[in-house]
């Protein structure tokens, strides 16, 4: 009887799972040992999305299955929320693996002879995925609220625009600091625009000096970015309108110069009144930009 199995383990920085990758791998090995399964490989995804199977190691897992041409019979996971947190995606993928490769997906709390076609088993699994899906939505909501609160407090939370560098303050929170080498380019762009120079000629003027942004709208993008005036544009959220707040970062131009540029471009509509925030990050360390953690 074919008793080949593979394992799959997953964790994310925002997943809030109490099970480490090593713990999950040990649970998968124990399950295989208990039922006399030969574990061929354990695929692990670290920091990958839980609502899609477009994950590096899961893709490698499916390639491994195809390469063995139907020899693998079982796919073992620590728990079903390690497989996926999206109920529709999870049930679709389980059915696909069963029908296409004749592989049974099992969590370590399920007996090996479980019948996935049994209505009661289907309901039990569907409930587990429903709970996992609810947690996924809760994580997203908390993340969105956290980003909004950080922005409303004047903190820039994305990749630093030209003229700034991503850094951390004393509390270890993200902030942007002036890039002394590139900041003069931003100031030059505003000066040239106020003098009446066209976007095209401004680009010709600053590109030899190190302006690397490309595209027809690159100069307009710089002129439209309120961050350079020391402000953060906070999007509408939870019935609160879009607003501008004073940022925790040092401005490269004055607010007056920024609003004059907006009027010259025909963008003179201002959001809610700017709210002041004290610049309170006298100490910082420059850090490389990290990609946003996935769920």
């Amino acid at each position: 009887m074919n008793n080949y199995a593979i394992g799959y383990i997953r964790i994310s920085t925002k997943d809030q799972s109490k099970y480490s990758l090593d713990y999950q791998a040990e649970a998968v090995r124990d399950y295989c040992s208990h039922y006399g399964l030969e574990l061929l490989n354990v695929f692990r995804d670290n920091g990958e999305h839980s609502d899609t199977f477009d994950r590096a190691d899961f893709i490698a897992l499916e390639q491994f299955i195809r390469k063995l041409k139907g020899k693998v019979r079982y796919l073992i996971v620590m728990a079903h929320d390690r497989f996926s947190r999206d109920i529709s995606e999870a049930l679709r993928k389980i059915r696909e693996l069963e029908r296409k490769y004749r592989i049974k997906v099992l969590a370590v709390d399920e007996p090996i002879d479980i019948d996935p076609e049994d209505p009661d088993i289907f309901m039990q699994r569907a409930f587990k995925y429903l709970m996992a899906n609810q947690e996924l939505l809760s994580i997203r909501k908390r993340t969105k609220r956290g980003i909004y609160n950080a922005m409303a407090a004047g903190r820039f939370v994305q990749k630093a625009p030209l003229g700034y560098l991503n850094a951390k303050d004393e509390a270890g929170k993200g902030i942007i600091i002036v890039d002394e080498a590139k900041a003069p380019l931003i100031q030059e762009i505003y000066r040239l625009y106020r003098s009446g120079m066209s976007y095209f000629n401004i680009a010709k003027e600053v590109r030899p000096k190190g302006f690397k942004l490309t595209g027809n709208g690159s100069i307009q993008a710089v002129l439209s970015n309120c961050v350079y005036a020391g402000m953060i544009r906070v999007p509408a959220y939870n019935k609160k309108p879009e607003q501008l707040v004073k940022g925790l970062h040092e401005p490269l131009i004055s607010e007056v110069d920024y609003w004059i540029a907006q009027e010259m471009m025909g963008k003179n509509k201002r959001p809610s009144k700017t709210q002041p925030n004290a610049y309170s990050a006298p100490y910082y360390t420059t850090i490389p930009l990290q990609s946003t953690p996935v769920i």
Side-chain angles (χ1 to χ4, degrees):
M1 180 179 176
N2 183 343
N3 66 342
Y4 292 136
I6 55 176
Y8 178 72
I9 58 180
R10 182 191 64 80
I11 200 167
S12 163
T13 53
K14 292 188 177 181
D15 208 8
Q16 299 182 354
S17 171
K18 61 183 178 181
Y19 303 116
S20 68
L21 289 175
D22 288 341
Y23 184 91
Q24 293 178 53
E26 186 63 27
V28 169
R29 285 192 291 267
D30 288 347
Y31 184 90
C32 291
S33 176
H34 177 75
Y35 285 105
L37 302 180
E38 184 175 347
L39 185 61
L40 300 179
N41 206 341
V42 176
F43 295 85
R44 60 177 62 200
D45 276 314
N46 191 353
E48 297 288 341
H49 290 282
S50 63
D51 60 343
T52 174
F53 287 96
D54 185 19
R55 315 171 197 153
D57 252 44
F58 200 89
I59 292 172
L61 179 152
E62 293 193 284
Q63 291 172 344
F64 184 82
I65 290 171
R66 287 193 292 270
K67 185 177 179 181
L68 291 186
K69 298 179 180 179
K71 291 183 179 180
V72 177
R73 188 178 179 190
Y74 302 99
L75 171 55
I76 313 301
V77 293
M78 166 71 198
H80 281 289
D81 67 352
R82 301 301 84 210
F83 187 66
S84 175
R85 283 190 181 273
D86 186 297
I87 183 171
S88 59
E89 284 291 303
L91 296 177
R92 180 192 64 79
K93 181 58 71 174
I94 287 175
R95 184 173 293 271
E96 176 186 321
L97 291 171
E98 289 173 344
R99 292 184 174 180
K100 193 172 182 179
Y101 303 111
R102 296 185 179 180
I103 289 177
K104 181 184 285 189
V105 178
L106 295 166
V108 298
D109 62 350
E110 296 176 328
I112 196 170
D113 59 355
I114 193 173
D115 180 8
E117 299 298 325
D118 185 296
D120 291 335
I121 299 303
F122 176 83
M123 285 298 295
Q124 290 172 17
R125 284 186 166 184
F127 181 74
K128 289 179 180 179
Y129 282 118
L130 187 62
M131 296 301 293
N133 210 147
Q134 180 190 39
E135 177 62 17
L136 172 64
L137 296 177
S138 297
I139 291 170
R140 287 176 175 172
K141 184 177 181 179
R142 289 194 296 269
T143 300
K144 186 175 182 180
R145 184 172 59 244
I147 291 173
Y148 175 84
N149 289 339
M151 294 178 69
R155 196 173 297 279
F156 192 80
V157 297
Q158 300 170 316
K159 179 181 178 181
L162 181 69
Y164 289 100
L165 298 170
N166 287 96
K168 286 187 177 181
D169 61 18
E170 284 183 305
K173 295 182 178 180
I175 197 170
I176 53 174
I177 61 174
V178 175
D179 181 349
E180 301 295 344
K182 301 296 183 182
L185 287 173
I186 303 302
Q187 295 160 342
E188 179 76 352
I189 288 171
Y190 276 87
R191 185 187 68 78
L192 293 174
Y193 186 62
R194 286 197 60 179
S195 74
M197 188 175 289
S198 69
Y199 301 138
F200 178 78
N201 286 330
I202 292 174
K204 284 181 63 178
E205 183 77 19
V206 297
R207 284 202 171 107
K209 299 178 182 179
F211 185 76
K212 302 298 183 182
L213 299 182
T214 58
N216 295 331
S218 59
I219 298 299
Q220 295 98 310
V222 169
L223 293 168
S224 300
N225 195 342
C226 66
V227 172
Y228 294 125
M231 297 183 288
I232 301 292
R233 188 178 299 275
V234 184
Y237 174 74
N238 197 24
K239 297 183 179 181
K240 296 179 182 178
E242 180 185 89
Q243 59 179 320
L244 288 180
V245 301
K246 281 287 188 182
L248 299 177
H249 60 282
E250 181 181 344
L252 300 185
I253 61 167
S254 69
E255 286 191 35
V256 172
D257 284 340
Y258 172 76
W259 287 117
I260 288 176
Q262 305 319 294
E263 291 172 1
M264 291 175 66
M265 292 189 294
K267 300 178 180 180
N268 52 7
K269 182 180 179 181
R270 304 190 185 194
S272 301
K273 185 178 179 181
T274 302
Q275 301 296 321
N277 280 295
Y279 179 75
S280 58
Y283 172 84
Y284 47 75
T285 54
T286 303
I287 59 168
L289 180 69
Q290 307 244 344
S291 59
T292 304
V294 291
I295 304 173

